Amino acid sequence: MSGTWSGEPAAPTDADPRRWWGLVVIALAQLMVVLDATIVNIALPSAQRDLGMSDGNRQWVITAYTLAFGGLLLLGGRVADLVGRKRTFVVGLIGFAAASAFGGAATTPAMLFGARALQGVFAALLAPSALSLLSTTFSDPRERAKAFGIYGTLAASGAAAGFIVGGVLTEYLNWRWCLYVNIPFAVAAVIGACTLLHDRPGHGDARLDVPGVLLGCGGLVALVYGFGEAQPRGWSDPLVLALFAVAVVLLTAFVWWQTRAPMPLLPLHIIRDRNRAGCMVTMMLAVIGMFGMFLFMTYYLQVVLAYSPLMTGLAFLPMTASILTGSTQISARLLPRVGPRMLMVPGMLLASGGMVILTQMTVDSAYASEILPALILMGLGMGLTFMPVFSTATAGVAPRDSGVTSATVNTSQQIGGSIGTALLNTIATGTSASYIASHLTDPTRRAQVVREGIVHGYTVAIWVAAGIMLLAALAAGLMVTAKAPKHDAPADDPVPEPVA
């Protein structure tokens, strides 16, 4: 192409040969955040015994993190836009490492809960700045596809990898190392960020939309908190219903205010875009099903099939490998040539098919013939889907909005995970209780009936997850109409004007 583009350049590092090392830094930070969402799950029983947590309070080790993370992501994205993405990225890394050290040294449950909440706060700064740094570093469609393939792989497979790492650390060291392990990750990423990453200055002349922060973040916190409390309290509990009502009121007020705010927290043109909205809906629905599957398969393998924590983690390895294959070897190669929905729709259909296979599992299913094929199908489906979702949702955004756009994508992922865990676990628990009550006619068979009831509850919930995956495929097919990236202008540019 002859000539140059007037206006702001696509990215200051387009010709920087070190940009791929910059991707390593961004990927390392993203892996740390995603791993931490699940790595503590396997360590939770040991931490509960060590710190004397009650059964009712132990869920706060998970909920405190997701609540702060999901509720504050929009704020983190806008802060990244205002003060600079690299600066926000480094602050998020340092804070996350400090919170991890604090949690690893916890001597009381409250200390651990507080540390997990602080991790969520700094993750809310870190995640959107990482994604927006990626989107502004790689603007060439082919390079962008490859970079987002790697990023999407980490986002999709990090949860499974968390189970593996958590199993190894818990079995051979102790649960505290599931938190301490973040410190070397963060130190390496800070050093790499300071030497390898480049960024445009923040927009210091802009002001933070304080009413938007209070309404939007408050509404998301209420929503995530409501789904978190629905599991132990039940969906009809007055507190749960009140939290949902507050969330609806605050989020409705947030949307109304964003149409009138002089400098809105979330410019509504970001979510009015059909392709971007379709990607976010697809992401949320996909993660609802995925998080539910991780929850049930972890308990199925450990409780029903009596796998050790380490063996449970290793059982997820084929799924992680298939996610990597689907993302980097299929999606990244095809996205420059085909529209994103041509990858997202088949991806969600494959994932749904894997879920349907899992609905056939019993109390004595064989892993190799009945579980493994389902995990491989789901992994391929997630790999096919997540990479074009991240790439398409952040493409074509003005540089000053890249942080909040990235935060919105991550918010849809966290909210989907919270909804999936609460909704599907409630379905599984209720169905299991009904099955056991109706089939427990012979007291001598109690243990067997309980095991059958647990698996029955899982399969019913997985049927629901399979249906949700089909809805994700439908959303991608109807809403995402973008062409292959090679037909579009480079991402992150304002509409360019060629000059001689």
Side-chain angles (χ1 to χ4, degrees):
M1 183 183 292
S2 62
T4 58
W5 299 110
S6 64
E8 190 174 13
T13 57
D14 279 348
D16 187 349
R18 300 188 303 168
R19 64 189 179 279
W20 292 104
W21 285 108
L23 172 62
V24 172
V25 173
I26 295 169
L28 187 65
Q30 175 65 13
L31 179 62
M32 182 181 69
V33 171
V34 175
L35 278 174
D36 217 71
T38 56
I39 194 173
V40 176
N41 281 275
I42 289 181
L44 184 54
S46 298
Q48 182 181 359
R49 289 191 301 269
D50 194 15
L51 299 181
M53 288 182 235
S54 68
D55 288 343
N57 286 335
R58 65 185 178 188
Q59 56 102 10
W60 281 105
V61 176
I62 308 301
T63 306
Y65 180 79
T66 58
L67 181 61
F69 192 9
L72 298 175
L73 268 167
L74 279 177
L75 175 60
R78 184 48 82 192
V79 168
D81 288 333
L82 294 181
V83 305
R85 290 170 283 275
K86 179 178 175 180
R87 184 180 303 172
T88 306
F89 183 75
V90 171
V91 170
L93 283 169
I94 295 171
F96 197 91
S100 299
F102 183 60
T107 56
T108 65
M111 188 175 172
L112 181 57
F113 301 156
R116 291 287 286 167
L118 281 175
Q119 282 185 308
V121 170
F122 287 106
L125 285 176
L126 185 58
S129 58
L131 185 54
S132 57
L133 278 169
L134 184 64
S135 67
T136 55
T137 299
F138 296 92
S139 59
D140 176 78
R142 289 186 179 276
E143 287 194 350
R144 184 181 177 87
K146 186 175 181 180
F148 273 88
I150 296 170
Y151 186 91
T153 298
L154 292 173
S157 65
F163 291 117
I164 300 170
V165 176
V168 171
L169 293 175
T170 302
E171 196 155 318
Y172 293 107
L173 294 173
N174 62 56
W175 67 269
R176 297 179 186 276
W177 282 95
C178 291
L179 294 162
Y180 289 145
V181 71
N182 293 319
I183 298 173
F185 276 86
V187 170
V190 168
I191 295 172
C194 292
T195 57
L196 296 170
L197 296 180
H198 303 273
D199 187 25
R200 300 181 181 93
H203 300 278
D205 57 328
R207 293 178 179 271
L208 195 63
D209 175 19
V210 176
V213 171
L214 296 176
L215 292 172
C217 295
L220 287 175
V221 167
L223 183 65
V224 175
Y225 188 24
F227 278 109
E229 288 297 299
Q231 179 179 342
R233 293 176 178 269
W235 293 98
S236 60
D237 183 83
L239 175 62
V240 173
L241 295 177
L243 286 168
F244 287 150
V246 169
V248 170
V249 171
L250 290 178
L251 292 175
T252 301
F254 171 75
V255 173
W256 171 84
W257 173 250
Q258 295 306 286
T259 64
R260 290 159 176 78
M263 293 184 178
L265 179 67
L266 174 61
L268 293 183
H269 67 265
I270 289 175
I271 55 175
R272 286 196 186 109
D273 179 85
R274 176 173 180 167
N275 291 301
R276 196 165 293 117
C279 286
M280 292 174 184
V281 171
T282 302
M283 169 66 79
M284 185 175 70
L285 292 173
V287 173
I288 287 176
M290 185 178 75
F291 268 54
M293 183 276 298
F294 280 140
L295 177 70
F296 300 136
M297 291 311 300
T298 300
Y299 277 93
Y300 175 76
L301 292 172
Q302 289 196 49
V303 176
V304 178
L305 298 187
Y307 280 29
S308 69
L310 178 57
M311 287 300 298
T312 299
L314 292 174
F316 282 107
L317 269 181
M319 180 178 180
T320 304
S322 61
I323 291 173
L324 181 65
T325 301
S327 183
T328 62
Q329 301 304 311
I330 301 177
S331 281
R333 295 175 184 271
L334 292 180
L335 187 59
R337 300 178 177 85
V338 302
R341 69 175 170 183
M342 299 301 292
L343 298 169
M344 294 160 64
V345 173
M348 285 294 90
L349 292 177
L350 279 175
S352 181
M355 291 283 190
V356 171
I357 292 175
L358 281 184
T359 63
Q360 308 305 306
M361 66 186 185
T362 64
V363 294
D364 54 2
S365 291
Y367 173 81
S369 60
E370 299 175 67
I371 307 301
L372 180 60
L375 295 180
I376 291 174
L377 279 179
M378 284 187 288
L380 284 173
M382 290 297 175
L384 282 172
T385 302
F386 276 32
M387 181 264 162
V389 163
F390 281 122
S391 182
T392 305
T394 57
V397 179
R400 68 182 296 139
D401 287 332
S402 65
V404 72
T405 303
S406 304
T408 307
V409 178
N410 277 287
T411 297
S412 67
Q413 189 176 359
Q414 293 300 315
I415 298 302
S418 299
I419 293 172
T421 301
L423 171 65
L424 297 177
N425 190 62
T426 299
I427 292 172
T429 303
T431 306
S432 293
S434 298
Y435 181 95
I436 294 169
S438 61
H439 288 75
L440 191 56
T441 56
D442 183 358
T444 62
R445 296 189 65 250
R446 178 176 179 81
Q448 179 67 16
V449 170
V450 168
R451 281 160 49 87
E452 291 173 354
I454 290 173
V455 175
H456 176 71
Y458 293 165
T459 58
V460 171
I462 291 172
W463 271 116
V464 176
I468 293 172
M469 293 288 192
L470 290 179
L471 288 178
L474 184 63
L478 296 178
M479 298 178 69
V480 181
T481 59
K483 297 179 181 179
K486 69 176 181 179
H487 298 298
D488 301 328
D492 307 309
D493 274 349
V495 178
E497 295 179 359
V499 297

